[in-house]
């Protein structure tokens, strides 16, 4: 009960302090708000990039064409070698007869042409899916080296460019978010520093009357948390309404049907929660830095 | 029965200044002791060591059975709850009322409001300010503000009351009133009082034990002494 009483009292004091040093609090909250809007934007972009990459991964495969003279036993050997790869996810064999039937089904002219030929000019193939699209090039290279393999293709140039761009964007996003979080923590630390100075008499009296150090520090940490959480309100509103409007405006697809956006319900609540947690934690981190540095007990 | 025991204690600050040198001092429970000396004589450092604002560089400072020098930062609160401190500059919180100022310390240690109220009213009654519970510090005279400060120091019934120049900002008549309050706390509650002061009139009139410090060294320790005695000492 005593601990709860102290916590409630400190929470009340922290709230009071936020309003007592209103201009200072507003400055911190504004900085947190701007940072968290950018953090939210980064998370939304990253999540959609990840979603797009995953969709791409579902579709990207390596088509392996086998030499004309590969028999069933040799084909089995090639399949076994492919399954041995670390990046292997699954494979599907399609014989040249199946290819022929499929092609004949799609066009009558093609069907007539293929019927006209004495031998089937098509090749047996194996469609290979890998776990991570980053492994496509390496896996294709390995398969090309297998005996009995004529070619292994996956649309090299395009895929390599997409992977590179996504990789750069992902890393840049992480760096930007981390930098912004550090700047915010520093700003909160500065606000709390000034709060500590403005309450130095109170702190001195608390020390003199035998208040425990943890109880003296607690209001400042809570104040940082409150500033962080208040600073997350506007970014959350922007995330929720902004993303819904954005999603509806583009009908769930960006540029073409190839880039499908994540449904708002699957994204906005979790991003809002993350933003609020980041706000709170960054607030507490910033204030504990100030408390460690400036609150000499 | 000894309440404060200082043995061969020295305090040397980081800048090399020796504030206290090889000091020995014993103060019994319930005693009233003046610590006098010129500016920079070391009396404030001695006072600060009693409530562990400063740690001795050498020797031992025991207060109420607690070895102050060996007390870790996280445990200082245990000592402070046994001590009340009164300063020259009052250190009242301007946005809190008289009642809230006195209750402040008890609230921060998590005491129930129902326990706080009688303690605060008792303390204010003792210093003669029960009628001003709702007033704010700016509405009080210097003497009244100092009395609030004393009420805050004694509200948790400390065993030791430390006063650092409590009359330094007050006129002679108000100083007399404040000394009466402190004397009654000492006599009625049995609280040990250690007071650093420059005020010759008070020291001469009160006829209490007087410890004189000069350059960190105890130069005299006289029962029922006075300032004049020590000027010649």
């Amino acid at each position: 009960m005593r601990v709860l009483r102290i916590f409630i009292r400190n929470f009340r004091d922290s709230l009071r302090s936020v309003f007592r040093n209103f201009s200072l609090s507003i400055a911190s909250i504004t900085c947190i708000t701007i940072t968290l809007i950018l953090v939210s934007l980064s998370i939304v972009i990253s999540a959609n990039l990840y979603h797009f990459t995953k969709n791409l991964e579902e579709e990207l495969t390596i088509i392996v064409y086998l030499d004309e003279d590969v028999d069933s036993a040799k084909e089995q050997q090639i399949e076994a070698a492919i399954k041995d790869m670390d990046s292997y996810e699954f494979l599907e064999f399609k014989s040249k007869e199946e290819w022929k039937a499929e092609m004949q089904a799609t066009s009558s002219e093609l069907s007539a042409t293929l019927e006209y030929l004495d031998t089937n000019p098509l090749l047996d193939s194996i469609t290979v899916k890998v776990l991570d699209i980053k492994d496509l090039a390496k896996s294709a290279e390995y398969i090309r080296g297998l005996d009995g393999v004529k070619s292994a293709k996956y649309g090299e140039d395009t895929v390599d460019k997409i992977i590179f761009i996504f990789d750069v964007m992902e890393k840049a996003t992480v760096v930007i978010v981390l930098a912004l979080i550090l700047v915010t923590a520093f700003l909160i630390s500065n606000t709390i520093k000034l709060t500590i100075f403005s309450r130095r008499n109170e702190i001195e009296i608390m020390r003199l009357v035998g208040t425990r150090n943890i109880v003296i520090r607690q209001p400042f940490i809570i104040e940082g948390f409150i500033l962080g959480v208040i600073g997350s309100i506007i970014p959350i509103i922007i995330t929720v309404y902004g993303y819904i409007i954005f999603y509806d405006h583009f009908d769930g697809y960006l540029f073409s049907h190839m880039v499908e956006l994540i449904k708002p319900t699957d994204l906005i609540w979790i991003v809002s929660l993350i933003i609020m947690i980041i706000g709170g934690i960054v607030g507490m981190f910033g204030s504990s830095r100030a408390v460690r540095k400036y609150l000499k007990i | 029965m000894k309440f404060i025991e200082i043995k061969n204690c020295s305090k040397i600050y980081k800048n090399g200044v020796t504030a206290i040198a090889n000091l020995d001092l014993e103060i019994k429970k319930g005693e009233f002791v003046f610590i006098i000396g010129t500016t920079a004589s070391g009396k404030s450092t001695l006072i600060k060591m009693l409530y562990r604002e400063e740690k001795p560089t050498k020797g031992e400072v025991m207060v109420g059975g607690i070895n102050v020098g060996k007390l870790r930062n996280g445990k200082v609160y245990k000592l402070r709850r046994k001590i009340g401190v009164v300063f020259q500059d009052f250190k009242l919180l301007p946005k809190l009322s008289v009642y809230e100022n006195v209750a402040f310390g008890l609230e921060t240690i998590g005491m129930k409001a129902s326990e706080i109220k009688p303690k605060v009213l008792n303390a204010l009654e003792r210093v003669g300010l029960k009628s001003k519970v709702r007033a704010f510090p700016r509405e009080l005279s210097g003497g009244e503000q100092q009395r609030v400060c004393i009420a805050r120091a004694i509200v948790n019934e400390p065993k030791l009351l430390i006063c650092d120049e409590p009359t330094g900002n007050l006129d002679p008549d108000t100083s007399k009133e404040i000394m009466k309050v402190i004397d009654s706390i000492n006599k009625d509650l049995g609280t040990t009082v250690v007071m650093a002061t420059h005020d010759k009139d008070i020291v001469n009139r009160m006829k209490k034990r007087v410890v004189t410090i000069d350059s960190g060294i105890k130069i005299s320790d006289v029962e029922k002494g006075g300032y004049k005695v020590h000027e010649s000492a």
Side-chain angles (χ1 to χ4, degrees):
Chain A
M1 274 313 282
R2 180 176 282 247
V3 173
L4 187 67
R5 263 200 307 275
I6 291 171
F7 181 79
I8 290 169
R9 188 186 180 281
N10 282 341
F11 192 83
R12 186 196 69 195
D13 278 1
S14 308
L15 261 183
R16 270 186 196 161
S17 176
V18 168
F19 292 103
R20 199 187 293 161
N21 306 313
F22 195 65
S23 52
L24 211 59
S25 300
I26 285 291
S28 290
I29 289 168
T30 308
C31 291
I32 298 163
T33 300
I34 293 167
T35 306
L36 290 181
I37 288 171
L38 294 172
V39 170
S40 166
L41 202 65
S42 307
I43 295 173
V44 168
I45 292 171
S46 295
N48 273 294
L49 277 177
Y50 184 74
H51 181 67
F52 174 55
T53 315
K54 277 285 154 197
N55 283 348
L56 207 63
E57 277 177 15
E58 294 294 318
E59 288 165 19
L60 284 177
T61 52
I62 303 168
I63 302 288
V64 182
Y65 290 104
L66 306 180
D67 287 334
E68 292 86 347
D69 56 353
V70 167
D71 57 14
S72 176
K74 185 75 183 166
E75 186 264 320
Q76 292 293 327
Q77 272 181 19
I78 294 169
E79 275 194 21
I82 292 170
K83 284 177 180 170
D84 268 353
M85 297 189 305
D86 289 340
S87 57
Y88 166 79
E89 189 176 355
F90 96 159
L91 64 74
E92 189 185 15
F93 174 77
K94 199 183 264 185
S95 69
K96 54 188 174 187
E97 283 72 31
E98 285 173 290
W99 274 118
K100 186 180 174 184
E102 202 173 281
M103 288 173 92
Q104 282 178 323
T106 56
S107 148
S108 56
E109 284 167 13
L110 205 56
S111 172
T113 311
L114 287 167
E115 274 308 317
Y116 179 76
L117 295 168
D118 293 338
T119 54
N120 184 349
L122 302 172
L123 298 170
D124 291 336
S125 74
I126 301 170
T127 305
V128 181
K129 198 166 175 327
V130 291
L131 289 165
D132 189 335
I133 56 168
K134 284 179 187 162
D135 294 329
L136 272 173
K138 202 174 66 187
S139 305
E141 193 61 41
Y142 166 77
I143 295 168
R144 273 185 211 118
L146 295 174
D147 189 28
V149 170
K150 195 177 187 73
S151 69
K153 295 187 172 172
Y154 61 93
E156 281 84 339
D157 289 350
T158 318
V159 171
D160 283 351
K161 272 181 195 161
I162 290 172
I163 291 171
F164 176 73
I165 291 166
F166 283 4
D167 221 34
V168 169
M169 284 178 87
E170 218 173 307
K171 281 175 185 153
T173 309
V174 170
V175 170
I176 290 167
V177 168
L178 283 178
L180 288 171
I181 285 174
L182 282 177
V183 169
T184 309
F186 176 74
L187 287 167
I188 291 180
S189 168
N190 233 20
T191 307
I192 300 298
K193 177 178 101 177
L194 294 169
T195 309
I196 289 170
F197 286 135
S198 74
R199 293 179 64 184
R200 61 189 180 281
N201 279 347
E202 242 170 279
I203 294 165
E204 192 178 353
I205 292 161
M206 285 164 96
R207 292 173 60 226
L208 283 174
V209 297
T211 310
R212 297 180 75 152
N213 292 352
I214 190 170
V215 178
I216 298 175
R217 291 188 184 114
Q218 208 178 49
F220 301 104
I221 308 287
I222 297 173
E223 189 177 336
F225 178 78
I226 292 172
L227 289 174
V229 171
I230 293 176
S232 71
I233 293 171
I234 291 174
I236 287 173
I237 293 169
I238 290 175
T239 304
V240 171
Y241 290 101
Y243 190 70
I244 290 173
I245 291 166
F246 182 77
Y247 185 88
D248 289 346
H249 183 76
F250 289 102
D251 277 336
Y253 294 96
L254 203 59
F255 310 126
S256 73
H257 275 252
M258 198 180 163
V259 187
E260 186 193 11
L261 295 167
I262 303 172
K263 282 182 190 149
T265 46
D266 293 345
L267 186 68
I268 52 176
W269 305 120
I270 186 81
V271 174
S272 300
L273 185 68
I274 291 171
I275 291 297
M276 189 177 274
I277 291 170
I278 290 178
I281 290 176
V282 170
M284 288 203 292
F285 174 74
S287 53
S288 46
R289 180 183 172 272
V291 163
R292 267 200 318 275
K293 212 167 167 188
Y294 304 106
L295 186 59
K296 304 292 178 204
I297 301 177
Chain B
M1 188 182 167
K2 287 177 243 169
F3 187 74
I4 295 171
E5 194 174 7
I6 299 171
K7 282 185 199 164
N8 195 27
C9 173
S10 296
K11 173 70 188 177
I12 303 161
Y13 286 106
K14 281 178 187 167
N15 60 7
V17 172
T18 302
I20 297 288
N22 303 318
L23 184 83
D24 290 298
L25 183 67
E26 283 181 11
I27 296 173
K28 291 192 200 87
K29 197 177 173 192
E31 238 186 319
F32 193 127
V33 181
F34 284 115
I35 309 287
I36 63 167
T38 54
T39 304
S41 59
K43 57 185 188 304
S44 282
T45 301
L46 173 61
I47 290 276
K48 282 180 181 171
M49 282 198 290
L50 295 179
Y51 60 93
R52 184 33 176 82
E53 188 67 16
E54 296 290 349
K55 276 167 109 172
T57 316
K58 196 185 87 180
E60 202 176 75
V61 177
M62 298 288 293
V63 176
I66 297 174
N67 189 334
V68 174
K70 288 189 176 165
L71 203 57
R72 286 189 290 122
N73 278 350
K75 300 287 176 195
V76 171
Y77 74 94
K78 288 186 175 177
L79 170 76
R80 301 256 169 100
R81 286 184 192 181
K82 294 182 176 185
I83 297 173
V85 190
V86 178
F87 296 98
Q88 181 176 352
D89 57 352
F90 318 138
K91 296 189 195 298
L92 296 176
L93 301 172
K95 287 179 182 171
L96 301 187
S97 68
V98 166
Y99 181 93
E100 288 165 337
N101 261 290
V102 179
F104 180 79
L106 301 179
E107 282 175 6
T108 63
I109 61 172
M111 198 176 274
K112 282 185 200 166
S114 58
E115 290 173 49
I116 292 173
K117 196 175 176 183
K119 278 177 176 272
V120 173
L121 294 178
N122 272 343
L124 285 172
E125 193 170 14
R126 175 155 290 282
V127 298
L129 277 183
K130 205 175 175 184
S131 58
K132 302 236 171 172
V133 285
R134 288 197 180 87
F136 285 87
R138 65 177 178 278
E139 298 162 351
L140 304 176
S141 67
E144 286 171 328
Q145 288 188 46
Q146 190 58 293
R147 281 195 272 166
V148 178
C149 187
I150 294 168
R152 184 182 61 200
I154 62 165
V155 70
N156 205 20
E157 292 149 28
K159 302 275 182 284
L160 172 66
L161 182 63
I162 295 172
C163 307
D164 194 0
E165 306 271 6
T167 57
N169 279 347
L170 305 174
D171 61 67
D173 290 339
T174 313
S175 297
K176 273 182 205 166
E177 283 175 32
I178 292 298
M179 288 315 298
K180 263 189 205 166
V181 172
I182 295 172
D183 198 30
S184 74
I185 291 165
N186 172 247
K187 283 177 178 153
D188 302 346
L189 304 178
T191 309
T192 310
V193 177
V194 178
M195 183 186 295
T197 186
H198 269 122
D199 198 323
K200 290 181 185 178
D201 289 344
I202 287 173
V203 176
N204 290 333
R205 196 179 55 248
M206 298 276 292
K207 298 287 174 202
K208 303 284 185 186
R209 180 179 168 195
V210 179
V211 175
T212 310
I213 294 183
D214 189 27
S215 303
I217 298 163
K218 185 173 81 173
I219 56 169
S220 72
D221 185 349
V222 183
E223 290 293 332
K224 295 187 180 176
Y227 223 102
K228 282 177 188 166
V229 174
H230 304 293
E231 276 172 347
S232 58

